[in-house]
Amino acid sequence: MDVQTQMKELVAKAAAARVESGMILGLGSGSTAAIVIEQLGRRWRAGDLQDIKGVPTSFQAAQLASEYGIPLITLNEIDHIDLAIDGADEVDPAKNLIKGGGACHTREKLVDSRAERFLVVVDVGKLSDVLGSNFALPVEVVPGAYRQVMDQLREMGGEPHLRMAVRKAGPVVTDEGNLVVDAKFEAITEPAKMEMQINNIPGVLENGLFVGLADEVLVGEIDGDRASVRRL
Ligand code: 5RP
């Protein structure tokens, strides 16, 4: 197993161990969150977890949870989520995040922001001093507006690109039926302001800045042969 996968496994297992019977859970998206769901699925099948319900943040999360028989529920059927566990693409020292590498950030933000506790699982490579240093900001846009949204993002200092699909001709289409524009900014120094400004552009559904939402971040690290988990 490569080093990055080892770190992901370790944080995912540590996060899944926090889950208790009776909880309503936000089920995250991406490769690290998928390992969390697999771990929960194993505990569920073994009878170690009872009476849990999952609110999926994506088609991926719903499909994986269903494979293990984890009961699913929608946001409109619940009045709270006890714990959401999700991955991230970039994390700053204040625990602000960039998400949306899997084009799921709209539903991820709905679910993660509804949780009483939002736990983020990442490997050490996701940490940065200033958001935007390493990852382009995903912006979900309605298909008819992608050109004008890209123009606006350019005016804000970003370098926007329409995200293209792999093994499908044309763009990535989100679970909500929209497109994703990835906008590279040199540095996002005021993430709360930028989150609001971008969401104010007509045609934007949601952007991948998650500001002030994460309660705790579990970071997988490797020192020599030894893998460990650090808490932020
Ligand atoms: C999907 C996400 C993912 O959580 C994020 O891309 C991290 O994924 P991975 O754990 O595969 O690195 O935001 O929209």
Side-chain angles (χ1 to χ4, degrees), residues 194-217:
M194 184 172 275
E195 182 185 13
M196 282 194 293
Q197 275 177 343
I198 293 179
N199 279 358
N200 216 19
I201 300 172
V204 169
L205 191 61
E206 190 53 85
N207 70 78
L209 282 167
F210 283 45
V211 181
L213 292 183
D215 293 298
E216 191 178 350
V217 182

Side-chain angles (χ1 to χ4, degrees), residues 152-193:
Q152 296 276 310
L153 290 167
R154 241 178 246 115
E155 273 183 31
M156 290 175 67
E159 260 183 56
H161 294 280
L162 184 63
R163 193 182 298 183
M164 301 309 283
V166 178
R167 302 201 65 206
K168 176 236 172 222
V172 164
V173 178
T174 69
D175 291 350
E176 266 65 48
N178 297 305
L179 307 181
V180 175
V181 172
D182 292 303
K184 182 73 183 80
F185 290 90
E186 221 165 272
I188 301 175
T189 50
E190 295 181 289
K193 192 169 159 199

Side-chain angles (χ1 to χ4, degrees), residues 66-79:
S66 300
E67 277 175 26
Y68 286 94
I70 296 174
L72 297 177
I73 194 160
T74 64
L75 272 177
N76 289 326
E77 295 168 282
I78 53 167
D79 59 10

Side-chain angles (χ1 to χ4, degrees), residues 8 29-33 86-89 99-105 108 126:
K8 286 182 180 185
S29 305
S31 58
T32 320
D86 208 343
D89 300 295
K99 285 184 53 55
C104 315
H105 55 279
E108 289 176 324
K126 305 288 184 65

Side-chain angles (χ1 to χ4, degrees), residues 4 8 28-35 57-58 60 85-90 98-106 108 112 120-123 126 135 138 163 208 210:
Q4 198 189 29
K8 286 182 180 185
S29 305
S31 58
T32 320
I35 306 172
T57 56
S58 62
Q60 178 207 28
I85 306 175
D86 208 343
D89 300 295
E90 204 172 325
I98 291 183
K99 285 184 53 55
C104 315
H105 55 279
T106 299
E108 289 176 324
D112 297 342
V120 179
V121 281
V122 292
D123 62 75
K126 305 288 184 65
F135 205 81
R163 193 182 298 183
F210 283 45

